[in-house]
Amino acid sequence: MLPATFKLCAGISYRHLRNMTGLRRTAAVALSHELEKLALVGPGPSRWINQVRRRSSLLSSRLDEKPYNEVEMSYIKQGEEALKKSMSILGEQDGWKVEIVAENGDKVLSKVLPDIGKVFKLEAVVEKPLDNVYGELVDNMEKMGEWNPNVKEVKILQKIGKDTVITHEKAAETPGNIVGARDFVSVRCSKRRGSTCILAGMSTRFGGMPEQKGYVRAENGPTCMVLHPVLEDPSKTKLTWLLSIDLKGWLPKSIINQVLSQTQVDFAKHLRNRVAMSTASLSLC
């Protein structure tokens, strides 16, 4: 039976057969069954059998993955482009100007970029492990309105694979309604590179979320948050947040600069409170 199975697997190497998903799945399953039989027979070349079995299993899992359509691929590419641009901006260490230095050491810097305008960078340390911070920012992002007064709502409109989502965010008005209600439609992608997590995003268009009454549709990006353990104390997390926003409307630049930099400082404070409460709740369970 095994020679016939290998012929079936070899047959799908031809271009006109490779596109036949059912045939490819049949070949992968058949090969896996034959390898199981060989493994039960007794002593033999178990190492290569195990290697082929693992590759066979991987092939089967990949065949079950849902392929992305053209629109979904465009969103994935937008998210990756936002990540690439954001990391390029953060990689440039020169030209940053200090906007705010808080008593606890949180710092907001800014610089003006030719094609983007003014961007802001928050540097802060959260006294909790990376997984706790990541969980609030990614896994529980729709709950952000519960703990961040500057956000009314975050809603996931569509998930694309493991790393990409389309979101709709409603920002709260500033005190005194100096800056009225804004909303954003964004594509976001999250990546883990070793002990570092990167959450990047930018504005996008989504047919299911037209402009909303009572809100000015603002634009953001490229923007990203970078998380990694503090070298001296891995139980703490270094947060770097690159913020680039066009609030639209007729607003003096001085007000915009003040609002955005203060928003970042406030965000760090609210995030600390949230993570502290979440971990305290878990310890009581």
Side-chain angles (χ1 to χ4, degrees):
M1 178 62 183
L2 187 59
T5 302
F6 276 110
K7 288 181 180 179
L8 176 61
C9 295
I12 66 172
S13 66
Y14 291 97
R15 184 180 300 274
H16 68 285
L17 294 178
R18 191 162 56 233
N19 294 327
M20 299 175 63
T21 305
L23 181 60
R24 293 163 64 194
R25 185 176 288 108
T26 300
V29 172
L31 178 59
S32 178
H33 288 169
E34 290 302 317
L35 291 174
E36 290 290 345
K37 293 178 182 179
L38 278 178
L40 293 174
V41 168
S46 59
R47 178 177 296 180
W48 73 264
I49 289 178
N50 288 332
Q51 289 178 347
V52 177
R53 182 190 296 149
R54 284 195 294 268
R55 292 180 180 272
S56 168
S57 175
L58 179 60
L59 173 61
S60 298
S61 64
R62 286 182 175 176
L63 291 174
D64 290 331
E65 291 180 357
K66 180 182 177 181
Y68 301 120
N69 59 39
E70 186 176 348
V71 174
E72 291 171 333
M73 282 303 304
S74 70
Y75 285 131
I76 291 174
K77 290 179 180 178
Q78 287 177 45
E80 292 175 347
E81 183 65 19
L83 187 150
K84 181 180 177 181
K85 288 183 177 179
S86 297
M87 296 307 294
S88 176
I89 294 171
L90 291 176
E92 294 291 336
Q93 300 299 320
D94 297 332
W96 292 96
K97 172 188 173 184
V98 175
E99 295 278 346
I100 297 177
V101 177
E103 292 183 1
N104 62 0
D106 291 352
K107 184 186 298 184
V108 177
L109 304 99
S110 69
K111 70 188 302 184
V112 178
L113 301 176
D115 300 329
I116 299 175
K118 195 164 189 176
V119 298
F120 297 83
K121 178 175 66 171
L122 168 71
E123 296 179 347
V125 173
V126 181
E127 294 77 13
K128 293 295 177 181
L130 184 147
D131 285 342
N132 298 92
V133 181
Y134 181 88
E136 289 297 336
L137 296 179
V138 178
D139 300 333
N140 298 326
M141 71 168 63
E142 289 188 301
K143 296 182 179 181
M144 189 175 294
E146 298 177 4
W147 53 269
N148 186 354
N150 293 318
V151 175
K152 282 187 175 181
E153 181 184 58
V154 176
K155 182 179 181 181
I156 295 176
L157 303 176
Q158 182 178 349
K159 292 184 178 181
I160 306 171
K162 297 179 181 179
D163 303 329
T164 306
V165 295
I166 311 298
T167 62
H168 179 233
E169 310 107 53
K170 293 181 179 178
E173 304 89 342
T174 60
N177 202 27
I178 297 175
V179 178
R182 259 62 176 173
D183 74 340
F184 306 84
V185 175
S186 308
V187 56
R188 305 186 187 201
C189 78
S190 56
K191 300 287 185 181
R192 298 196 74 149
R193 297 176 177 174
S195 60
T196 299
C197 296
I198 307 171
L199 323 171
M202 64 185 298
S203 286
T204 191
R205 294 182 181 275
F206 188 80
M209 185 54 67
E211 294 191 14
Q212 305 291 293
K213 184 177 180 180
Y215 288 86
V216 175
R217 179 62 52 88
E219 296 182 356
N220 62 23
T223 182
C224 79
M225 293 185 182
V226 181
L227 310 172
H228 60 83
V230 174
L231 185 61
E232 299 80 8
D233 187 352
S235 67
K236 299 179 181 180
T237 303
K238 174 69 180 295
L239 164 65
T240 303
W241 176 18
L242 175 71
L243 178 63
S244 170
I245 286 185
D246 182 355
L247 291 174
K248 303 296 184 180
W250 299 96
L251 295 171
K253 289 185 177 181
S254 58
I255 292 180
I256 294 175
N257 294 341
Q258 181 180 353
V259 167
L260 294 183
S261 56
Q262 188 60 48
T263 295
Q264 289 192 298
V265 172
D266 292 343
F267 175 83
K269 178 182 68 175
H270 300 314
L271 177 61
R272 286 192 184 93
N273 293 338
R274 175 67 172 190
V275 175
M277 291 177 59
S278 299
T279 51
S281 299
L282 288 174
S283 64
L284 295 175
C285 295

